[in-house]
Amino acid sequence: MDRIRQRYMFHLDNIRRKKNITIKNLCDGICDDRQYRKYRSGENNVSDIRLLEFCERLGISSRDFYYTLNEKDEYDFKILKNLYCLLVNKKYTEAKVIFEKSFRNSYLTIQNKRLLEYCKTRYRYELKEYTSDQTVREIGNNINIDKCCKNEIFDFVDILFLLLLAEIQVKTEKIQALNQLINILNHPDSLYLSPEKRDLIAPIYANVSIMLGRLNKLEDLLMINSLGIEYCIKNSFSKSLTKLYQTRALALNKLERFTEADEYIAKSISNSISIESSQSTIHLFAQLIKDFNKNPFEVLNEYFIRIKEEIM
């Protein structure tokens, strides 16, 4: 089975259904219905000449066929990216709607399919539909865990599966996947990322920082955290900065570097006010009070006064 040819047939069949043309009418004089279904299932590979005949019957040019095929891939990725962001923000009810309504009759590219499998695995793990052992097995079905922990080049889906594995391992104080993530984030050249996928990596810096905090590896946390802040500022990914600033403040506070901790408390609440919803800022405000026993807005005001004095 040629997966690319099958992908062509899925796209062709989507066009057929949108135009309300039956398989019988589409195939009339070209091939029989049974052969068409074999093309669609991947049992037989459709030829370029046969594709052109189908396109002519559908009233589209071959150029339009391939153009809309690429458009569909981009459209699928946008839906998957939205799904991923919903999971990151723990909006599981909204994520469930996408799972139920999207991708039922859609042929995905290999990479988009892998991202969908990650989202499904993450969703089921978060909702406790999968145990930790079941989740690790699912991760193993999508990446070679042993090999992935030795690779030198990674794509963004590899990183997402490694992150989920690290979160599970850290609960039992295993750090194989976490160490690999640290190595990857320390050497970003090992990441194979197209521009539209770079923002998917931003939350990983925050998540790795949180795991390092749980293991009390505070110096490692500060190092990765600095790289994450630099990455987000350089690429204008402001959303992940709030959590990075908050995590950095916690580490600095544990290290009794209180003035520096106050700076990042101030930056965390300021960033949240700037770009996040009021509800998110209220939640952060309450969390900062709990973590530091300070009023974040008072800390923010003191930070502004200090900056003003430095400028003046």
Side-chain angles (χ1 to χ4, degrees):
M1 177 181 70
D2 186 328
R3 291 183 63 86
I4 294 175
R5 295 283 160 179
Q6 190 184 24
R7 176 180 164 222
Y8 291 164
M9 282 305 302
F10 267 79
H11 183 52
L12 185 87
D13 203 55
N14 283 334
I15 296 171
R16 174 191 67 78
R17 285 187 283 108
K18 286 178 183 177
K19 289 179 171 283
N20 293 317
I21 296 174
T22 65
I23 292 176
K24 182 177 181 180
N25 288 337
L26 175 63
C27 294
D28 187 32
I30 298 175
C31 66
D32 59 38
D33 299 6
R34 185 180 177 188
Q35 178 72 323
Y36 179 86
R37 290 185 170 86
K38 286 184 177 181
Y39 289 148
R40 192 174 59 183
S41 69
E43 186 178 344
N44 289 347
N45 293 326
V46 64
S47 67
D48 289 332
I49 293 175
R50 184 57 47 88
L51 268 176
L52 181 58
E53 290 173 333
F54 285 139
C55 286
E56 289 175 350
R57 181 63 53 84
L58 290 169
I60 60 171
S61 67
S62 57
R63 181 178 180 180
D64 286 340
F65 173 80
Y66 291 111
Y67 179 78
T68 54
L69 177 65
N70 291 330
E71 271 193 333
K72 181 189 174 300
D73 292 342
E74 292 173 7
Y75 174 75
D76 287 340
F77 177 71
K78 285 180 181 178
I79 295 176
L80 286 164
K81 190 173 182 179
N82 181 42
L83 177 60
Y84 167 79
C85 291
L86 290 173
L87 294 175
V88 167
N89 293 301
K90 301 187 183 302
K91 296 182 178 180
Y92 302 123
T93 302
E94 294 175 48
K96 183 179 179 182
V97 173
I98 294 180
F99 280 127
E100 291 176 345
K101 290 187 175 181
S102 303
F103 310 117
R104 286 185 175 182
N105 298 307
S106 178
Y107 185 86
L108 299 174
T109 62
I110 293 174
Q111 196 70 330
N112 282 346
K113 186 175 181 179
R114 292 182 69 226
L115 180 54
L116 177 60
E117 288 304 313
Y118 165 79
C119 289
K120 287 179 179 178
T121 305
R122 165 67 73 174
Y123 175 82
R124 289 167 181 160
Y125 173 70
E126 295 288 352
L127 293 186
K128 302 189 186 309
E129 294 177 9
Y130 280 169
T131 64
S132 293
D133 288 343
Q134 285 175 306
T135 305
V136 171
R137 283 197 293 271
E138 285 300 316
I139 293 170
N141 289 335
N142 287 277
I143 63 171
N144 184 319
I145 294 174
D146 291 333
K147 184 178 179 182
C148 203
C149 286
K150 298 174 184 176
N151 281 353
E152 295 182 359
I153 299 294
F154 305 86
D155 63 32
F156 71 102
V157 183
D158 292 332
I159 305 304
L160 295 178
F161 275 117
L162 270 176
L163 175 66
L164 181 53
L165 179 62
E167 290 174 12
I168 294 169
Q169 288 184 344
V170 162
K171 290 180 179 180
T172 57
E173 298 188 0
K174 295 179 181 177
I175 57 173
Q176 180 191 25
L178 178 60
N179 282 341
Q180 182 63 298
L181 282 171
I182 292 170
N183 184 55
I184 293 166
L185 296 177
N186 270 318
H187 302 90
D189 290 343
S190 63
L191 287 171
Y192 178 72
L193 296 173
S194 54
E196 72 275 7
K197 297 181 176 73
R198 286 176 187 159
D199 59 331
L200 297 177
I201 299 300
I204 293 175
Y205 284 97
N207 289 334
V208 170
S209 296
I210 290 168
M211 285 187 278
L212 287 168
R214 287 173 183 162
L215 295 169
N216 211 34
K217 294 178 176 289
L218 301 182
E219 295 298 337
D220 289 338
L221 183 160
L222 292 176
M223 178 187 63
I224 289 296
N225 189 275
S226 291
L227 292 173
I229 290 170
E230 181 183 346
Y231 181 86
C232 290
I233 292 173
K234 180 181 177 181
N235 294 286
S236 301
F237 301 143
S238 300
K239 273 195 169 184
S240 294
L241 280 172
T242 300
K243 183 60 71 175
L244 284 164
Y245 289 149
Q246 181 187 2
T247 308
R248 189 171 191 82
L250 282 166
L252 291 166
N253 195 63
K254 284 185 179 180
L255 293 168
E256 299 184 356
R257 292 159 60 177
F258 300 120
T259 301
E260 292 175 80
D262 284 353
E263 175 185 344
Y264 286 95
I265 292 171
K267 287 183 176 181
S268 179
I269 195 72
S270 178
N271 194 70
S272 181
I273 292 168
S274 299
I275 65 167
E276 296 177 3
S277 67
S278 297
Q279 184 179 1
S280 296
T281 301
I282 291 168
H283 177 76
L284 175 65
F285 178 83
Q287 188 63 49
L288 290 172
I289 290 177
K290 180 180 177 182
D291 290 339
F292 300 97
N293 196 29
K294 294 181 178 181
N295 185 323
F297 290 122
E298 291 179 3
V299 175
L300 179 60
N301 186 52
E302 291 169 4
Y303 176 68
F304 280 150
I305 291 171
R306 194 160 66 248
I307 293 298
K308 181 180 178 182
E309 289 173 350
E310 291 176 5
I311 294 173
M312 301 297 288

